[in-house]
Amino acid sequence: MKNRRSFLRKTFLTAGTLSLSSFFQKSLAEDISDAMINLNRLSPEAAAQDEELWARIRQAYTTSPTIINLNNGGVSPQPKVVQDAANRYYTYANEAPSYYMWRVLDQGREPLRAKLADLAGTSPDELAINRNTTEAVNTVIFGLNLKKGDEVILTKYDYPNMMNAWRQRERRDGIVLKWLDLDIPTDDNDAVVEKFKAAITPKTKVFHITHIINWTGHIMPVKALCDVARANNIYSVVDGAHSFAHLDFKISDFGCDFFGTSLHKWLCAPFGTGMLYAKKDKIKDVWPLLASPEGQEDNIRKFENIGTRSFAIEQAIASAIDFHNAIGSARKEARLKYLKTYWVDKVKDIDKVNFYSSMNPEYTGALFNFGIEGKDAGPVHNDIFRTHKIHSSPVKYEQVNGPRITPHVYTSKYDLDRLCEAIELSAKS
């Protein structure tokens, strides 16, 4: 614990000294550091409810004081230390780009890979650094050796970019897509697993699994589905866009073959950062989207041959990991679920309000979708922004018809009280 406190003080005091010159800003950095230290003295459950500490941690962000951003599931803001790191590296690279980018900053990729692997619970040789979940998962979708008639099992609630990628393979290669419908909301993992199992035939080659469904926040039974896939010699491809650094888990917990995620969502890393996990013995089974040199067939780095990239934002991922670790994965998950439960409990009895997400914390994290009877998602979304300047994400898709709400660690109970007021006004109007 003493070493952890020293690390936290050093991290935030250094950030304050390097990037913020005034006495006020240095004092602010000290206060954030102190709040992190005190947070780590508490259990996840106790930490989740300590508003004073979270209010101090909120000061690490540069978010708008007037617009309440409850669409963190789209893209999350970065703490100031992450912004400063990216800006510092960018300025540094511009002194002599081809020298500093390739001969200096590029040398940080392997230490960053190791840092990500530690957070993910994998080997560094199983992680590729890329730009987002779409790039990561599309690499697998288009890279697997599938032939005409091979079957892929997926659901109607997967992410559009992934569904479109599979449809393109269907048109191009003649593979067969087997679409499963889901009951929304559901608290029955066994029923979900049985739907996947019932769809298996001797031609089934892939399970496409969305860890947290982006429309509703439903947490899928990933491990159970991966177990079924492995028992039937089926590839498991997991879309973890909304789960990584949101829920407290390790990728290795699932036994999946592939896992893709964005780091600019819940990890609060720079915009346009992501990663791909491929189980060591499955790397050779996937062609890279962009050609790699011969001899890299079983090397995870074959998925990183994109030419010139943004070295600055890539290296700043490390600062986002430090910030996340300073809070702790378990404390972060507990806080996010606490915030979700706080506002959901306050509006659940309002007339005409209904939910498209489960209230059971086993099945949802921070991401939650509500609707108002008689109103489409768009008008409700517009109502809560017009009256209380609350930014959300309207969803009208399949059985879902309401705004998606995604708070983050900088969100206060005051913000959520305003949300509840706005929902009640919209329901009455």
Side-chain angles (χ1 to χ4, degrees):
M1 178 62 76
K2 184 176 180 181
N3 289 338
R4 187 173 180 82
R5 292 175 192 167
S6 298
F7 163 75
L8 289 168
R9 291 191 191 281
K10 181 179 179 182
T11 297
F12 288 97
L13 289 178
T14 300
T17 304
L18 288 176
S19 58
L20 308 170
S21 57
S22 71
F23 174 78
F24 170 77
Q25 295 292 2
K26 184 176 180 181
S27 297
L28 181 62
E30 290 176 343
D31 188 52
I32 296 167
S33 169
D34 186 65
M36 290 285 196
I37 292 166
N38 288 325
L39 191 73
N40 277 269
R41 294 190 177 112
L42 302 175
S43 68
E45 294 72 25
Q49 302 178 56
D50 195 319
E51 296 306 313
E52 189 268 339
L53 288 180
W54 291 107
R56 291 161 66 188
I57 291 170
R58 180 189 179 105
Q59 302 310 306
Y61 289 83
T62 60
T63 51
S64 170
T66 53
I67 292 177
I68 299 174
N69 178 29
L70 293 178
N71 186 22
N72 294 282
V75 182
S76 291
Q78 300 146 44
K80 187 70 163 62
V81 291
V82 179
Q83 297 177 46
D84 289 344
N87 291 337
R88 190 167 64 249
Y89 289 129
Y90 195 79
T91 299
Y92 179 62
N94 270 280
E95 292 184 15
S98 65
Y99 178 82
Y100 286 115
M101 288 196 309
W102 294 108
R103 298 193 184 186
V104 180
L105 293 181
D106 190 45
Q107 304 308 306
R109 175 170 272 195
E110 293 309 317
L112 173 60
R113 192 190 312 278
K115 198 162 194 160
L116 272 171
D118 183 65
L119 179 60
T122 70
S123 162
D125 289 331
E126 297 174 312
L127 283 187
I129 302 165
N130 58 25
R131 292 169 289 191
N132 50 51
T133 313
T134 297
E135 181 181 23
V137 178
N138 272 227
T139 294
V140 180
I141 292 173
F142 289 114
L144 283 171
N145 286 310
L146 301 178
K147 63 183 184 300
K148 185 175 182 179
D150 286 345
E151 296 176 353
V152 177
I153 299 175
L154 63 172
T155 83
K156 294 180 180 180
Y157 289 93
D158 293 319
Y159 189 66
N161 285 354
M162 312 312 169
M163 293 193 288
N164 290 336
W166 283 119
R167 287 181 180 124
Q168 183 167 309
R169 284 221 67 174
E170 181 182 42
R171 295 192 302 270
R172 188 182 73 184
D173 302 318
I175 66 170
V176 177
L177 304 182
K178 303 183 75 171
W179 299 94
L180 305 181
D181 204 355
L182 298 176
D183 298 321
I184 297 295
T186 180
D187 288 358
D188 191 345
N189 275 340
D190 291 340
V192 173
V193 174
E194 286 305 313
K195 285 190 176 187
F196 273 80
K197 289 172 70 174
I200 296 173
T201 76
K203 293 184 178 182
T204 303
K205 302 300 180 185
V206 180
F207 274 10
H208 182 95
I209 307 163
T210 302
H211 192 179
I212 293 184
I213 292 175
N214 73 291
W215 313 104
T216 66
H218 179 72
I219 301 171
M220 292 281 280
V222 174
K223 185 180 186 306
L225 290 171
C226 290
D227 288 346
V228 172
R230 187 167 53 256
N232 289 274
N233 198 29
I234 295 168
Y235 289 116
S236 51
V237 181
V238 180
D239 176 346
H242 282 285
S243 60
F244 190 74
H246 176 174
L247 306 179
D248 181 21
F249 69 93
K250 301 294 187 184
I251 295 175
S252 52
D253 295 341
F254 302 136
C256 59
D257 294 318
F258 307 100
F259 184 103
T261 191
S262 296
L263 304 178
H264 51 242
K265 291 182 183 289
W266 299 97
L267 186 64
C268 297
F271 309 135
T273 55
M275 71 179 191
L276 167 66
Y277 161 81
K279 188 182 291 185
K280 184 65 176 174
D281 64 349
K282 298 297 192 299
I283 295 172
K284 66 182 185 306
D285 296 349
V286 180
W287 293 85
L289 281 178
L290 300 177
S292 62
E294 290 186 29
Q296 285 196 338
E297 287 75 16
D298 60 354
N299 189 330
I300 195 69
R301 294 155 189 82
K302 72 180 182 180
F303 301 121
E304 297 175 343
N305 288 287
I306 64 170
T308 302
R309 62 189 192 275
S310 179
F311 293 82
I313 67 167
E314 179 182 287
Q315 287 304 298
I317 294 170
S319 294
I321 297 172
D322 286 345
F323 189 88
H324 172 87
N325 286 339
I327 293 174
S329 294
R331 292 178 184 84
K332 187 172 181 180
E333 177 182 333
R335 175 62 176 178
L336 292 174
K337 288 186 173 182
Y338 173 80
L339 291 173
K340 180 274 304 291
T341 301
Y342 176 80
W343 75 265
V344 168
D345 279 347
K346 293 190 72 171
V347 303
K348 66 183 180 183
D349 296 324
I350 296 175
D351 188 37
K352 296 185 179 180
V353 171
N354 53 63
F355 297 147
Y356 298 102
S357 308
S358 172
M359 294 179 64
N360 187 333
E362 180 182 345
Y363 295 97
T364 51
L367 196 157
F368 200 90
N369 192 295
F370 78 96
I372 293 178
E373 183 182 337
K375 281 190 175 184
D376 279 344
V380 179
H381 161 81
N382 294 338
D383 283 348
I384 64 177
F385 188 82
R386 176 177 52 82
T387 62
H388 287 70
K389 293 297 179 286
I390 294 169
H391 175 55
S392 63
S393 178
V395 175
K396 187 175 182 181
Y397 177 78
E398 292 287 334
Q399 302 173 41
V400 185
N401 190 10
R404 187 187 74 181
I405 303 298
T406 47
H408 212 305
V409 295
Y410 67 86
T411 304
S412 68
K413 288 172 69 174
Y414 173 87
D415 296 335
L416 298 178
D417 287 337
R418 304 290 79 71
L419 170 66
C420 296
E421 290 174 5
I423 292 173
E424 187 167 15
L425 281 175
S426 183
K428 288 179 178 178
S429 64

